[in-house]
Amino acid sequence: MKEIFIKKYWDEEDVLFYLHFQNEEAIAQVEITPKGKVFLSLENPKENTSMLYDQSLDELALEERDFITKEEFYRIWNEQ
């Protein structure tokens, strides 16, 4: 099982995303905005206007600095 952890800032919407991918599929996501945090998962894929990332990992145009550790992801995830 291949796990990838991403931290990506979306400037247009002022959102910082933390994503956990398992075998190329997003299984957990945290969105941080000035209004607060939204936690999404396969069990809870939608909340208000937010929804769990459902596109290909390749669509993110990732750079080396976007990859984070499992520990960094879960430090944010465990704040819920």
Side-chain angles (χ1 to χ4, degrees):
M1 174 179 351
K2 183 177 178 184
E3 292 191 294
I4 298 173
F5 299 88
I6 305 292
K7 176 182 176 184
K8 188 82 172 163
Y9 180 69
W10 187 17
D11 192 41
E12 295 84 10
E13 297 291 329
D14 193 19
V15 179
L16 180 59
F17 290 95
Y18 285 83
L19 295 147
H20 176 191
F21 285 88
Q22 201 170 65
N23 297 330
E24 307 283 324
E25 177 186 13
I27 63 164
Q29 173 178 312
V30 181
E31 296 180 15
I32 302 174
T33 68
K35 295 178 182 179
K37 295 179 184 173
V38 175
F39 296 87
L40 303 169
S41 65
L42 292 174
E43 294 79 26
N44 178 41
K46 292 183 181 180
E47 187 172 314
N48 298 320
T49 60
S50 298
M51 80 187 245
L52 184 62
Y53 186 76
D54 63 355
Q55 303 299 309
S56 164
L57 185 59
D58 297 333
E59 298 287 322
L60 289 175
L62 298 170
E63 299 173 21
E64 187 65 35
R65 64 184 167 90
D66 298 325
F67 293 89
I68 60 172
T69 64
K70 179 179 184 175
E71 291 75 22
E72 183 176 353
F73 176 86
Y74 279 102
R75 182 175 47 82
I76 300 301
W77 181 259
N78 290 332
E79 292 176 2
Q80 61 182 312

